[in-house]
């Protein structure tokens, strides 16, 4: 299941490491099978107390993991992504839409950050990296199993669906007309983030209700995508909690 085509066809992926496996086990029906070395079972006895485990040696475990230093436990899991209309439920107040985000570490970190900020969902839109890429799953540190994730091939459809559900779509744009710290962030919001290298296409950014810029006070040219997402999501989370 190291190839995206195989993961997509079988609707299965690998959760590698104790944090990821713990998250997977918290979702009913997600885990198909767990493989672990005897040492990992001993080290994480609480995790495996009520879970059937197939014992394997280090070499077999390494063949299932793409990590440089495998943690000794891997779970085969069923896909978790939900339809766009399900994750953009009426009660959603904070959503992250990633358009054409290609780096698995960035995508996974956005999912982890959205989870930490109390967001309701993440949408991977357009030509974004596979949510089940091993590096993406690892970068979420278990958060992939905590909040809904949708995969939407058309980023325009994702933006319009969010607006139809009453979410104000804010495009994170360095040239935005609204300063982040002047923006009204207290209402239901969907943040729109673009590709790491070229940002948001003009035609997509134009669909947003506002373009919002994070002020740069120093000499840095810009912020890394996942860092920018953290700043924006937490600014919204703070404003929404203050309002309620």
């Amino acid at each position: 299941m190291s190839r995206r085509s195989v993961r997509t066809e079988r609707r299965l992926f690998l959760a590698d490491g104790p944090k990821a496996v713990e998250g997977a086990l918290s979702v009913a029906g997600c885990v198909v099978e767990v493989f672990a070395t005897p040492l990992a079972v001993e080290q994480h006895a609480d995790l495996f107390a009520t879970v059937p485990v197939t014992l394997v040696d280090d070499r077999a475990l390494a063949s299932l993991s793409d990590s440089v230093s495998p943690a000794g436990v891997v779970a085969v899991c069923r896909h978790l992504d939900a339809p766009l209309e399900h994750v953009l439920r009426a009660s959603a107040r904070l959503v992250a839409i990633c358009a054409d985000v290609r780096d698995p570490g960035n995508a996974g970190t956005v999912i982890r950050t959205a989870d930490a900020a109390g967001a309701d969902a993440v949408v991977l839109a357009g030509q974004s990296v596979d949510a089940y890429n091993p590096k993406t799953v690892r970068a979420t540190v278990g958060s992939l199993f905590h909040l809904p994730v949708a995969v939407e091939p058309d980023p325009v459809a994702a933006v319009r669906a969010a607006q139809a559900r009453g979410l104000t779509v804010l495009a994170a744009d360095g040239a935005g007309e609204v300063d982040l710290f002047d923006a009204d962030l207290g209402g239901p919001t969907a943040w729109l983030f673009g590709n790491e290298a070229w940002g948001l296409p003009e035609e997509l950014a134009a669909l947003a209700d506002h373009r919002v810029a994070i002020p740069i006070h120093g000499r840095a040219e810009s912020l890394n995508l996942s860092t920018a997402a953290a700043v924006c999501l937490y600014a919204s989370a703070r404003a929404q909690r203050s309002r309620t």
Side-chain angles (χ1 to χ4, degrees):
M1 279 172 282
S2 59
R3 294 168 53 189
R4 183 170 188 170
S5 59
V6 175
R7 292 193 297 270
T8 301
E9 179 183 354
R10 297 183 181 180
R11 298 284 295 173
L12 296 173
F13 71 102
L14 298 176
D16 185 358
K19 282 292 185 183
V21 173
E22 182 180 11
L25 290 170
S26 71
V27 180
C30 176
V31 175
V32 176
E33 190 169 6
V34 178
F35 297 92
T37 63
L39 179 59
V41 171
E42 181 181 341
Q43 291 175 331
H44 307 286
D46 291 346
L47 181 61
F48 302 119
T50 59
V51 179
V53 179
T54 300
L55 293 176
V56 294
D57 60 22
D58 290 336
R59 182 175 180 180
L61 195 288
S63 71
L64 294 172
S65 172
D66 75 334
S67 176
V68 176
S69 302
V73 54
V74 173
V76 179
C77 303
R78 295 182 176 89
H79 279 197
L80 295 164
D81 53 284
L84 183 64
E85 60 271 21
H86 289 182
V87 304
L88 296 178
R89 57 190 186 277
S91 61
R93 291 187 55 80
L94 185 56
V95 174
I97 302 174
C98 297
D100 300 324
V101 172
R102 304 290 179 83
D103 182 81
N106 274 332
T109 301
V110 171
I111 293 171
R112 180 183 182 183
T113 301
D115 179 24
D120 298 288
V122 173
V123 180
L124 297 179
Q127 299 300 311
S128 288
V129 66
D130 181 16
Y132 306 109
N133 179 297
K135 293 179 180 178
T136 304
V137 176
R138 193 157 52 245
T140 72
V141 196
S143 288
L144 178 64
F145 306 99
H146 299 165
L147 79 171
V149 174
V151 177
E152 172 51 59
D154 183 3
V156 171
V159 170
R160 288 178 172 162
Q163 290 169 328
R165 290 299 179 96
L167 294 161
T168 297
V169 176
L170 301 179
D173 184 347
E177 78 279 5
V178 180
D179 185 294
L180 175 66
F181 301 121
D182 295 328
D184 181 1
L185 304 176
T189 300
W191 278 100
L192 178 61
F193 304 109
N195 178 270
E196 296 88 345
W198 59 79
L200 288 166
E202 174 59 30
E203 60 274 17
L204 184 60
L207 294 177
D209 296 288
H210 301 286
R211 302 186 196 199
V212 179
I214 300 173
I216 301 294
H217 299 302
R219 297 176 62 184
E221 179 184 356
S222 61
L223 292 175
N224 169 274
L225 167 65
S226 56
T227 302
V231 172
C232 293
L233 290 167
Y234 264 93
S236 284
R238 181 177 182 272
Q240 291 181 358
R241 280 158 176 74
S242 296
R243 181 166 295 185
T244 56

